[in-house]
Amino acid sequence: MLIGNLDGMTVFARVVEERSFSGAARKLGMSKSAVSKHVTKLEDNLGIRLLNRTTRRLSLTDAGSTFYQHCARVVEEVETAEHALTDLRGTPRGTLRISAPLTFGQMYLPQLVTEFMDKYPGLHVDIHLADHMVDLVAEGIDMAIRITRLKDSSLIARKLADFTGHIVASPGYLEQYGEPKTPQELAEHRTISYTNVPSPNIWDFDGPDGQVSVRVNPVMSCNNGEFTSVAAIRGLGIAREPEFIVAEALSEGRLVRILHDYDPLSSGGIYAVYPERRHLPSKVRVFIDFLVEKFKGGLCNFHQEACAEYREGRGRQRPRP
């Protein structure tokens, strides 16, 4: 009975992971009705209901929850076998699903992915840009690029490059409000917070006398780093930004780096991460190896060319204060 139900198990697992028939249909390249038929046939064959269906949502029955745990393992084993055969053929194929932060992805991935796909035309690349932390397993993502101080997790990580965080403000802001000389003075300034971090209003520093934490009082918060950098350029307040977002504005004098003696602990690394698996699919392995090679020597070696393409593609000049 397993062989007859294998397609149904695969579809059922995807429905659970996507939390909808339509989401599963998109991931599987099937119609919504075909997905529904697979699940219904599976339930009929098993003689038990796996999902509670309403017009608004799906939920697992107790039996469905138990069955899903087994389905997920079976589907993973089948995918592992398929990846092994693909490796034997020597050419990565299928769909490579990549997650990356929005601004970083817009700036760097078009050039990287285009060059990568020229080398591996048999691959289809599906890119998800989002500034929130994506659950790779639940969302069916093969690998992600993350910019962070990496903590222990169930994911495997490979470092691509270092990145540096800066505290920045526009010359106009500093002329009007003055320049803070210590992190503690930030509490009295207008600040702009990036919210996709655990504590957006607590700014940590490593200074001459050790680590310092300051609670800022932002006049604006946003979940996108480029947006907050543009607000800083416009003179709205002081922002904490990764260097790759503000490097051009700093070089042109539209932003000024402040608090030079204090390293904001927003610095860290750029990592390629992927779920722990016994067999890493060749499509993931070759892409990570490609990224490591491209970022060899640091992020700055790749930065100017990629940023030029990004600006040209958007067809606009950076706003000036």
Side-chain angles (χ1 to χ4, degrees):
M1 187 170 69
L2 175 61
I3 298 300
N5 285 338
L6 189 55
D7 287 343
M9 293 169 69
T10 301
V11 173
F12 169 67
R14 186 60 73 187
V15 169
V16 174
E17 290 158 5
E18 295 298 318
R19 300 181 179 87
S20 72
F21 285 98
S22 56
R26 286 192 296 271
K27 289 290 185 181
L28 294 167
M30 302 169 63
S31 68
K32 183 179 176 181
S33 62
V35 169
S36 180
K37 287 178 182 177
H38 272 292
V39 174
T40 299
K41 183 179 179 181
L42 180 64
E43 289 178 323
D44 290 343
N45 289 343
L46 295 171
I48 194 167
R49 180 173 291 278
L50 301 173
L51 293 168
N52 294 314
R53 303 163 175 82
T54 69
T55 55
R56 291 181 177 273
R57 63 189 295 269
L58 293 175
S59 63
L60 284 166
T61 64
D62 290 343
S65 180
T66 299
F67 188 64
Y68 168 70
Q69 303 301 321
H70 295 283
C71 281
R73 288 197 294 270
V74 169
V75 171
E76 183 178 355
E77 289 296 334
V78 171
E79 289 178 347
T80 298
E82 290 176 345
H83 294 322
L85 290 176
T86 298
D87 285 349
L88 289 174
R89 288 199 299 266
T91 303
R93 296 185 181 277
T95 298
L96 174 62
R97 296 182 177 88
I98 303 167
S99 171
L102 180 61
T103 300
F104 182 91
Q106 289 175 319
M107 293 175 67
Y108 295 108
L109 284 186
Q111 181 175 346
L112 287 167
V113 170
T114 300
E115 186 176 338
F116 176 73
M117 293 181 70
D118 285 341
K119 297 180 65 174
Y120 299 101
L123 276 173
H124 170 76
V125 177
D126 183 7
I127 299 172
H128 300 254
L129 299 182
D131 283 335
H132 67 274
M133 193 71 74
V134 173
D135 186 326
L136 303 191
V137 176
E139 299 192 30
I141 302 296
D142 293 303
M143 60 84 58
I145 297 172
R146 290 191 175 161
I147 304 172
T148 183
R149 284 180 175 269
L150 200 65
K151 298 179 180 179
D152 293 338
S153 75
S154 60
L155 302 176
I156 307 300
R158 188 168 178 186
K159 193 171 186 178
L160 304 176
D162 291 308
F163 84 94
T164 301
H166 294 318
I167 307 299
V168 297
S170 71
Y173 175 89
L174 296 176
E175 181 178 351
Q176 182 175 357
Y177 294 100
E179 179 179 342
K181 301 301 181 183
T182 67
Q184 289 84 352
E185 293 179 34
L186 289 172
E188 306 302 322
H189 274 265
R190 297 165 61 87
T191 54
I192 305 166
S193 279
Y194 173 71
T195 57
N196 276 326
V197 293
S199 301
N201 297 339
I202 303 295
W203 291 11
D204 299 316
F205 297 86
D206 193 1
D209 299 320
Q211 290 193 6
V212 178
S213 294
V214 178
R215 177 175 289 276
V216 298
N217 301 295
V219 295
M220 189 191 75
S221 302
C222 182
N223 65 348
N224 179 263
E226 186 176 27
F227 190 101
T228 56
S229 73
V230 172
I233 289 170
R234 295 287 189 182
L236 183 63
I238 296 172
R240 180 178 60 170
E241 297 283 350
E243 186 177 31
F244 70 86
I245 289 181
V246 296
E248 183 181 2
L250 288 170
S251 67
E252 294 176 354
R254 291 182 287 127
L255 285 175
V256 176
R257 184 185 172 198
I258 61 176
L259 297 173
H260 293 266
D261 294 335
Y262 297 88
D263 174 33
L265 296 180
S266 56
S267 302
I270 302 173
Y271 297 88
V273 301
Y274 54 92
E276 185 173 5
R277 293 175 177 169
R278 289 186 295 276
H279 178 85
L280 182 65
S282 62
K283 62 185 179 182
V284 179
R285 175 175 47 77
V286 296
F287 185 63
I288 293 176
D289 288 344
F290 172 80
L291 291 176
V292 170
E293 182 63 28
K294 294 302 294 185
F295 285 105
K296 184 181 294 184
L299 181 63
C300 61
N301 288 355
F302 188 69
H303 181 77
Q304 290 184 344
E305 183 181 355
C307 286
E309 288 201 1
Y310 171 59
R311 292 194 304 275
E312 183 179 348
R314 292 187 63 160
R316 64 165 175 82
Q317 296 294 322
R318 299 271 187 179
R320 293 184 179 277

